[in-house]
Amino acid sequence: QQLEKSQTKELRIVLKTDVQGSIDALREAFQRLSTDEVQVSILHASVGGVTESDVLLASASNAVIIGFNVRPEPKAAALAEREKIDIRLYTIIYDAIHQVRESLEGMLEPTVRERTVGRAEVRQVFGISGIGTIAGCAVSDGKIQRGAQARLLRDHAVVHDGRIGSLRRFKEDVREVASGYECGIGLETFSDLKPGDVIEVYELEKVARRIAASDSGGRSHAAADRAASA
């Protein structure tokens, strides 16, 4: 549990609002955005404009200052500019919560998703002097790209995972070969190819993760809006 806690990323906030009701509603809304991986940590929350003390606290704690229906004092604004402290000011509750959600999402590790680009079946294997082992293949699906990440499958088991070192058609080097065509494929650092093997080209994509909004969060928005207008 301690290890998991130490790996949790924090968005540290100094919160300043016009009324206490806004503090309570924003605190609740921000806490609802927290997950096991990322969480909001409110270091200080009080009513009133942004002061020099708030800026110094944010600077010492690597925090962002969020102000709702308030403004920074002139000296505080100047200090924040010198210390490069981010002061975010809002008059609409949804905007504040939306920005905090986006900041937390940016701290999440992306999901890695695999996408198959193409497949080729090995028909013959040739040993070429000065080049190495070349597999004569027929591209059955998608496309094969020189330099792409590929795995060699034999009886549906992964024998090798590496990159396509060379790709040829009619003795000429090419960048890619589409489905329905034949080509010669050489794998980097691997030469034990056999007829019937399948070369599968794939890509790894990083997909940004999202924090879902909740109905309870919507109630918090409304509560803070009522507090702000009181």
Side-chain angles (χ1 to χ4, degrees):
Q1 289 176 344
Q2 289 177 343
L3 179 61
E4 290 177 355
K5 185 176 180 180
S6 67
Q7 294 174 339
T8 300
K9 297 179 180 179
E10 282 187 340
L11 175 62
R12 298 173 181 174
I13 292 175
V14 174
L15 179 62
K16 301 303 293 281
T17 72
D18 53 347
V19 294
Q20 182 62 41
S22 296
I23 291 177
D24 298 336
L26 281 168
R27 189 194 300 272
E28 178 186 355
F30 291 161
Q31 288 175 345
R32 290 182 184 276
L33 295 175
S34 297
T35 70
D36 292 338
E37 296 177 67
V38 292
Q39 66 181 16
V40 174
S41 177
I42 298 180
L43 304 181
H44 173 70
S46 63
V47 173
V50 179
T51 66
E52 289 180 280
S53 297
D54 298 324
V55 175
L56 291 173
L57 175 59
S59 178
S61 308
N62 191 27
V64 61
I65 298 174
I66 289 182
F68 182 71
N69 279 340
V70 295
R71 302 292 298 175
E73 296 176 356
K75 290 184 178 179
L79 179 60
E81 186 174 353
R82 290 198 301 271
E83 296 291 327
K84 300 187 184 327
I85 298 302
D86 191 6
I87 299 179
R88 304 182 186 182
L89 304 173
Y90 304 95
T91 57
I92 299 175
I93 194 70
Y94 173 81
D95 291 343
I97 297 172
H98 179 71
Q99 285 289 314
V100 169
R101 178 184 290 113
E102 285 191 340
S103 296
L104 290 173
E105 289 172 345
M107 296 165 64
L108 287 170
E109 291 295 329
T111 299
V112 178
R113 181 172 62 194
E114 181 180 308
R115 183 176 71 89
T116 301
V117 176
R119 294 184 180 87
E121 182 180 343
V122 179
R123 299 287 177 82
Q124 292 179 294
V125 178
F126 307 94
I128 301 178
S129 177
I131 296 178
T133 302
I134 299 296
C137 302
V139 182
S140 59
D141 184 41
K143 60 185 178 181
I144 305 299
Q145 299 168 313
R146 186 176 72 235
Q149 193 73 25
R151 59 172 64 93
L152 182 71
L153 306 178
R154 184 172 297 158
D155 297 326
H156 305 290
V158 177
V159 176
H160 172 74
D161 197 322
R163 291 190 177 275
I164 293 181
S166 64
L167 184 63
R168 292 187 155 201
R169 261 186 63 77
F170 302 117
K171 298 183 180 181
E172 293 186 1
D173 290 329
V174 293
R175 296 182 62 182
E176 67 178 45
V177 179
S179 175
Y181 292 94
E182 296 182 345
C183 61
I185 298 176
L187 298 179
E188 291 183 355
T189 70
F190 189 81
S191 59
D192 184 24
L193 296 111
K194 297 180 180 180
D197 289 348
V198 173
I199 296 174
E200 185 177 74
V201 173
Y202 65 94
E203 292 179 345
L204 297 178
E205 300 176 325
K206 291 185 176 181
V207 181
R209 294 163 61 191
R210 297 286 180 257
I211 297 175
S214 65
D215 292 338
S216 56
R219 290 193 295 271
S220 295
H221 301 182
D225 285 336
R226 288 194 299 271
S229 61

